Amino acid sequence: MDGRVLDPPQDSAYGKLAVSRIEDLAQAVLGSGLKAQQMDAGQLNACLAFVATQRMVCTTGLLNSKISLSGTLSETDITLGVGLQITKGSLQWLHGIESGTVGVFLPGEEHEALYMPGSLYLGLTLSHDSLAWEAEQLEIDIDPECLATGHHPQLLQNSFLNLLRVQTAGLHRDGQESLHPAETANLALETLISHLGRNPRQICGVPSIRGLEHVVRRAIDYIDAHVNEKISIEELALASGASRRTLHRAFEVILNDTPTKFINRRKLHLIRDLLMSGERATISDTVASVGITEFGRFSFNYRRMFGETPSETVRSARKIFACA
């Protein structure tokens, strides 16, 4: 699969995309249009693979860079996800996840994740009716309480996890044709349905945000609401209801980051979005509009983050719009 605009593959089709631009990870779950941000500077390194059958779309991602993803996975369908190989420090809704974590994402509900380098995940998107039909064929009764957005309280059993990991990793390697991608998707569907039907317990749902997680959440909300302004650490601490020391500790413990680096990264991504939008504003005006006054340092940080200059981003955007 080549190009930057990804359409859902046809029935029983397979596609793969080597990702080098952050915009491509909007399709980290095919059809979702997620907001993707790279959290470390340097060349982005990831791979997406897609399998479509009559009943579902299967998406798997191998992320070799630190990536943040947020947004709605589907407005109409349910998504079942599993972390096949999750690197320590990865989060969903600011809650730590590990290999074998199974998630359920209902239509229209927000997903938020931070994946550390080396993480491999798989997601299945299908209608409620298709899920119910598949469960009936397997003679499995899915407890309705399991179908709530959040994490299943039990990890996927190691035997199933290892088998699914090996099958899925093959989709990201060259010469995968002999692996029958549709069989991998079907194996994943049967595995996750069986997991949801085993000893049903009440789902924990989206984890409650306490302590340091609560501080980080309020800080991020404030940053996103004021990202086009200058944000001081003092006002950020006040908005998060914490001291400066606690604010720094919260970001270090939860995100392995600092508030200042987080703010600057958000601003860089906002500027990139504006430059990619095709608007006619000059680069300097765009930079100034988000509260950055040191253009020289900005240019250095932008190139270090995205591997290209702001001018190169603008030229790429113009080519895209010209082709459209």
Side-chain angles (χ1 to χ4, degrees):
M1 180 180 292
D2 197 8
R4 298 298 166 189
V5 179
L6 305 178
D7 294 319
Q10 299 300 313
D11 180 46
S12 298
Y14 164 82
K16 185 171 68 172
L17 174 69
V19 175
S20 60
R21 293 170 61 86
I22 190 64
E23 289 77 18
D24 293 335
L25 286 177
Q27 298 288 320
V29 171
L30 190 61
S32 59
L34 292 170
K35 175 68 174 180
Q37 296 193 351
Q38 61 189 83
M39 305 301 287
D40 287 329
Q43 182 63 51
L44 187 64
N45 183 3
C47 177
L48 299 177
F50 313 96
V51 183
T53 71
Q54 290 181 341
R55 299 162 290 180
M56 62 185 163
V57 173
C58 172
T59 308
T60 172
L62 177 59
L63 307 178
N64 292 315
S65 299
K66 187 178 179 181
I67 300 295
S68 169
L69 298 171
S70 61
T72 301
L73 300 186
S74 174
E75 294 291 346
T76 58
D77 293 333
I78 189 169
T79 300
L80 308 179
V82 57
L84 298 174
Q85 179 176 296
I86 300 299
T87 307
K88 184 178 180 180
S90 298
L91 308 171
Q92 282 184 337
W93 303 294
L94 300 181
H95 184 75
I97 56 175
E98 56 186 302
S99 299
T101 296
V102 174
V104 176
F105 311 93
L106 295 186
E109 297 198 4
E110 289 291 309
H111 168 63
E112 179 184 69
L114 172 67
Y115 288 107
M116 303 300 287
S119 293
L120 173 69
Y121 68 86
L122 180 145
L124 302 173
T125 304
L126 69 170
S127 68
H128 279 277
D129 289 344
S130 293
L131 179 61
W133 186 88
E134 291 293 337
E136 182 179 348
Q137 302 312 300
L138 295 170
E139 298 183 348
I140 292 174
D141 183 20
I142 299 179
D143 190 319
E145 291 183 345
C146 288
L147 295 182
T149 296
H151 297 136
H152 193 280
Q154 298 173 336
L155 297 178
L156 193 64
Q157 289 186 2
N158 283 333
S159 58
F160 296 112
L161 177 63
N162 292 334
L163 176 59
L164 195 53
R165 180 191 295 137
V166 171
Q167 288 286 100
T168 303
L171 299 180
H172 294 277
R173 293 194 295 266
D174 293 334
Q176 57 71 43
E177 290 79 4
S178 63
L179 293 177
H180 304 294
E183 292 185 7
T184 299
N186 291 330
L187 172 64
L189 181 59
E190 292 182 10
T191 299
L192 293 180
I193 288 177
S194 297
H195 186 73
L196 294 174
R198 185 183 300 114
N199 298 324
R201 299 180 185 177
Q202 184 173 356
I203 283 293
C204 296
V206 178
S208 61
I209 301 174
R210 302 184 299 272
L212 299 181
E213 293 179 358
H214 197 183
V215 171
V216 172
R217 166 53 53 215
R218 288 190 291 191
I220 291 176
D221 288 344
Y222 184 85
I223 292 169
D224 286 342
H226 299 83
V227 68
N228 60 338
E229 306 170 12
K230 286 187 176 181
I231 302 174
S232 69
I233 297 301
E234 288 78 9
E235 64 182 305
L236 185 60
L238 180 63
S240 63
S243 65
R244 288 186 53 159
R245 181 176 179 180
T246 300
L247 177 68
H248 279 276
R249 181 170 180 268
F251 269 76
E252 180 181 359
V253 170
I254 303 300
L255 298 177
N256 191 29
D257 207 349
T258 70
T260 299
K261 288 181 179 178
F262 189 93
I263 293 169
N264 291 338
R265 193 182 304 112
R266 277 289 210 261
K267 287 181 178 290
L268 287 176
H269 276 277
L270 175 57
I271 291 170
R272 184 177 179 86
D273 289 344
L274 292 173
L275 295 180
M276 291 292 295
S277 70
E279 295 181 1
R280 294 295 181 179
T282 65
I283 294 175
S284 58
D285 286 344
T286 301
V287 173
S289 71
V290 301
I292 293 179
T293 56
E294 298 183 40
F295 190 82
R297 180 176 295 179
F298 154 75
S299 296
F300 174 80
N301 290 336
Y302 188 95
R303 184 168 186 173
R304 185 176 62 174
M305 173 62 70
F306 300 114
E308 63 183 22
T309 66
S311 297
E312 288 171 332
T313 299
V314 171
R315 285 196 291 271
S316 295
R318 288 173 179 169
K319 289 180 181 178
I320 292 173
F321 279 98
C323 292

